[in-house]
């Protein structure tokens, strides 16, 4: 049997178009695009074109641990917490936050504060933060793309309860909020892991020290869910 040409092809599992990875050579495949893929070999045998059975491959988004190993991201979290303390006064307070992106073209993480807006309220009152989900344009990506700027996690803070009026506000629980369209629900709906900075104590009362110990709370999936 005479093998004259061979080619390695790839496609997304939910699409039908195949892309050529390599022709007439051994292919070491490295991708910067996340997703579920099929790969196959195509060869010319005499006058016929034959195909191998497709082999599946999954390229995942980074885990929480991989994201937290980036010093730039953890420094941005600490800075946001300090901003939260500085913004806490007898008259107002607010949350701070950002969306974490991974640029797979160069492997760098970034903290984008422009996609997070927060309301200001009287200490003790409920304040809200909103993420504007600026997703990558999947229509422009192929298995051969050189990379994408992927949102991979959410981060925000909860403010102190120090200046809450004890005649109006008795206490608040710390940690990720669990109501409809709140922290845990939004992370799960959007398939993104969430990070939160809040105080270590399970319950806060008016008059606690702003300098009390704080903690990182994790919520939502352990890594971004593949689309």
């Amino acid at each position: 049997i005479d093998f004259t040409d061979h080619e390695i092809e790839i496609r997304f599992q939910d699409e039908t178009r195949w892309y050529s990875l390599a022709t007439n050579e051994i292919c070491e495949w490295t991708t910067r695009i996340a997703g579920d893929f099929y790969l196959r070999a195509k060869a010319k045998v005499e006058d016929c074109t034959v195909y191998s059975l497709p082999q599946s491959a999954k390229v995942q988004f980074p885990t929480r641990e991989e994201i937290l190993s980036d010093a730039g991201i953890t420094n941005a979290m600490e800075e946001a917490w300090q901003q939260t303390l500085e913004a806490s006064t007898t008259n107002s307070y607010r949350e701070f936050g950002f969306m974490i992106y991974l640029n797979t073209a160069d492997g760098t993480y970034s903290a984008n504060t422009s996609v997070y807006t927060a309301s200001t309220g009287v200490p003790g009152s409920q304040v809200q933060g909103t993420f504007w989900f600026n997703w990558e344009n999947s229509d422009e990506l192929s298995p051969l793309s050189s990379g994408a700027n992927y949102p991979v996690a959410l981060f925000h803070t909860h403010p102190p309860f120090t200046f809450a009026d004890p005649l109006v506000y008795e206490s608040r629980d710390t940690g990720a909020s669990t109501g409809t369209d709140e922290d845990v629900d939004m992370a799960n709906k959007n398939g993104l892991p969430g990070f939160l900075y809040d105080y270590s104590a399970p319950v806060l009362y008016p008059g606690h020290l702003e300098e009390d110990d704080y903690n990182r709370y994790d919520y939502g999936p352990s890594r971004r869910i593949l689309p």
Side-chain angles (χ1 to χ4, degrees), residues 16-215:
T16 58
R17 179 183 174 183
W18 289 92
Y19 296 81
S20 177
L21 275 179
T23 302
N24 296 331
E25 61 180 335
I26 296 175
C27 175
E28 294 185 4
W29 177 52
T30 300
T31 183
R32 293 178 173 86
I33 301 300
D36 289 302
F37 300 92
Y38 283 129
L39 295 101
R40 72 180 182 185
K42 179 173 73 172
K44 232 168 171 189
V45 183
E46 297 178 345
D47 293 328
C48 299
T49 300
V50 295
Y51 298 91
S52 70
L53 292 175
Q55 301 297 308
S56 62
K58 183 185 294 287
V59 180
Q60 300 265 33
F61 290 104
T63 63
R64 291 185 186 280
E65 292 73 20
E66 289 169 329
I67 295 170
L68 292 170
S69 69
D70 186 87
I73 293 302
T74 54
N75 288 341
M77 291 178 176
E78 293 292 331
E79 181 179 349
W81 180 248
Q82 293 306 314
Q83 290 176 313
T84 305
L85 300 184
E86 291 168 6
S88 172
T89 70
T90 56
N91 299 316
S92 68
Y93 70 172
R94 56 161 292 183
E95 300 177 351
F96 286 80
F98 51 80
M99 191 173 292
I100 301 170
Y101 284 81
L102 171 62
N103 187 337
T104 57
D106 57 16
T108 59
Y109 289 93
S110 60
N112 188 341
T113 59
S114 68
V115 297
Y116 183 82
T117 57
S119 61
T120 300
V122 175
S125 65
Q126 184 174 3
V127 290
Q128 292 182 329
T130 302
F131 288 98
W132 300 94
F133 290 91
N134 186 18
W135 302 100
E136 73 281 354
N137 189 347
S138 58
D139 292 338
E140 296 179 354
L141 299 178
S142 81
L144 305 183
S145 295
S146 60
N149 198 29
Y150 288 111
V152 292
L154 310 170
F155 171 80
H156 73 290
T157 65
H158 283 173
F161 207 65
T162 306
F163 299 114
D165 185 344
L167 299 178
V168 180
Y169 306 103
E170 179 180 349
S171 64
R172 82 160 173 88
D173 295 335
T174 57
S177 54
T178 56
T180 302
D181 291 335
E182 294 187 358
D183 297 343
V184 176
D185 188 42
M186 289 302 294
N188 289 330
K189 282 180 177 178
N190 289 281
L192 287 171
F195 301 108
L196 166 71
Y197 267 28
D198 200 352
Y199 286 93
S200 301
V203 180
L204 295 180
Y205 299 94
H208 77 89
L209 296 178
E210 286 191 333
E211 297 77 18
D212 284 344
D213 291 341
Y214 61 97
N215 194 18

